[in-house]
Amino acid sequence: MDKVTVPVLKEKKGKEKITMLTAYDYCFAQIIDEAGVDVILVGDSVGTVMLGYSTTIPVTISEMIHHAKAVVKAVKRALVVIDMPFMAYQESIEKAKRNAGRMLKETGAEAVKIEGGEKMKDVIKALVDIDIPVMGHIGLTPQSYHVFGGYKVQKEAERLIRDAKALEEAGAFSVVLECVPRQIAKRITEEISIPTIGIGAGPDCDGQVLVIHDLLGLLGDFRPKFVRQYVKLRDVVKKAAIEYVSDVKNGIFPDDAHSFH
Ligand code: KIV
């Protein structure tokens, strides 16, 4: 079992596909680490899939730290990346450095992820200069929900290519491409030297990422076009809970086999 580090991940470009999934707690992090995923992202999607927020915007640094601590305890092989939440890095470079440093020191995560392209170049460079590895994130950046007016595919090829190149120049070690037409994602992947990790960006990226709740079918009927559900776990969990309720109500559980003597 070779530990995935930032240099190991960069080396994978052009040689093998990179796999990344989100996790927000000890149990799921342990399962997906054992499954061999390369990168575990403690995403600020924690806000929408675990905490019931309607966007990622309200997520706080403390919430990110709380979840990342549990994930880091479970992970042996994967690279653990933590999302910097909205307003943890936009205000000033000094604040971005302080917050990123705190998030790595208090959680044990190995890198931060930051949303935004050219506009975030100076922030990313400042973090990389103090030895904080940064994963970029361009295309549909969910923290810009109100600017985009919703979750919309980003199709401006020249801007996206400029953004990707700005992140590469700033020293980011990889970049997430979210909801970008596959032809543009392919071009970016060919034109930059760092790995691209796609979500809704087609098959030509260097790697793929999904939110674990989407892959497991844990959420309701809402399913973005780019998600493949590998199991309908919501139905499985619900069925088990319904059976449990029925067994307890009818005196079937606990039985003698589940009792102490
Ligand atoms: O927060 C998150 O889960 C993410 C992924 C969608 C890449 O940023």
Side-chain angles (χ1 to χ4, degrees):
M1 183 204 60
D2 289 336
K3 173 81 183 96
V4 182
T5 60
V6 166
V8 166
L9 194 86
K10 284 168 84 175
E11 272 301 304
K12 290 184 190 290
K13 186 173 174 97
K15 298 195 183 106
E16 63 171 286
K17 290 280 187 186
I18 292 166
T19 54
M20 174 159 126
L21 283 173
T22 64
Y24 318 98
D25 65 28
Y26 184 86
C27 179
F28 275 107
Q30 193 171 54
I31 295 168
I32 64 178
D33 189 47
E34 285 171 7
V37 74
D38 297 314
V39 186
I40 295 183
L41 170 69
V42 187
D44 61 354
S45 50
V46 68
T48 50
V49 302
M50 298 286 288
L51 303 177
Y53 302 150
S54 60
T55 70
T56 56
I57 290 168
V59 175
T60 64
I61 294 176
S62 303
E63 285 166 342
M64 291 306 303
I65 289 175
H66 176 77
H67 287 271
K69 272 182 170 171
V71 167
V72 168
K73 281 194 199 116
V75 174
K76 293 194 166 65
R77 175 184 174 273
L79 180 77
V80 180
V81 179
I82 182 171
D83 255 338
M84 293 194 74
F86 183 58
M87 290 317 289
Y89 56 96
Q90 290 91 341
E91 211 176 315
S92 72
I93 286 182
E94 284 318 304
K95 205 161 172 195
K97 283 191 204 170
R98 224 174 9 253
N99 288 336
R102 176 179 167 213
M103 291 174 77
L104 293 197
K105 280 168 79 87
E106 291 187 21
T107 64
E110 295 158 286
V112 297
K113 179 164 77 58
I114 281 184
E115 293 185 9
E118 264 185 323
K119 282 190 282 191
M120 285 301 141
K121 190 173 175 182
D122 292 345
V123 172
I124 293 171
K125 187 171 180 327
L127 295 183
V128 173
D129 282 349
I130 56 167
D131 292 339
I132 294 180
V134 180
M135 176 179 277
H137 183 160
I138 61 171
L140 194 179
T141 43
Q143 292 173 18
S144 317
Y145 180 85
H146 296 304
V147 176
F148 295 146
Y151 296 124
K152 296 184 179 156
V153 177
Q154 300 299 301
K155 297 182 176 170
E156 276 180 65
E158 294 316 315
R159 180 179 57 82
L160 288 163
I161 289 162
R162 268 201 319 276
D163 282 342
K165 289 190 171 165
L167 297 187
E168 178 188 30
E169 270 170 42
F173 69 89
S174 62
V175 56
V176 169
L177 307 179
E178 179 162 354
C179 291
V180 169
R182 61 178 288 184
Q183 295 79 0
I184 301 177
K186 181 171 190 287
R187 214 179 124 192
I188 293 173
T189 302
E190 286 165 359
E191 291 192 18
I192 64 174
S193 62
I194 54 174
T196 58
I197 303 179
I199 174 163
D204 301 304
C205 297
D206 297 304
Q208 296 294 326
V209 54
L210 281 179
V211 169
I212 187 73
H213 286 58
D214 285 334
L215 172 145
L216 296 178
L218 273 167
L219 305 175
D221 290 335
F222 172 72
R223 184 172 0 141
K225 179 179 163 75
F226 57 80
V227 168
R228 177 173 290 172
Q229 258 181 18
Y230 284 82
V231 58
K232 288 190 186 306
L233 211 48
R234 190 182 181 89
D235 295 347
V236 175
V237 172
K238 198 175 203 173
K239 183 167 174 289
I242 289 171
E243 278 177 31
Y244 167 77
V245 168
S246 164
D247 284 357
V248 172
K249 298 267 188 213
N250 293 305
I252 294 168
F253 178 82
D255 53 11
D256 199 48
H258 296 94
S259 304
F260 296 109
H261 293 281

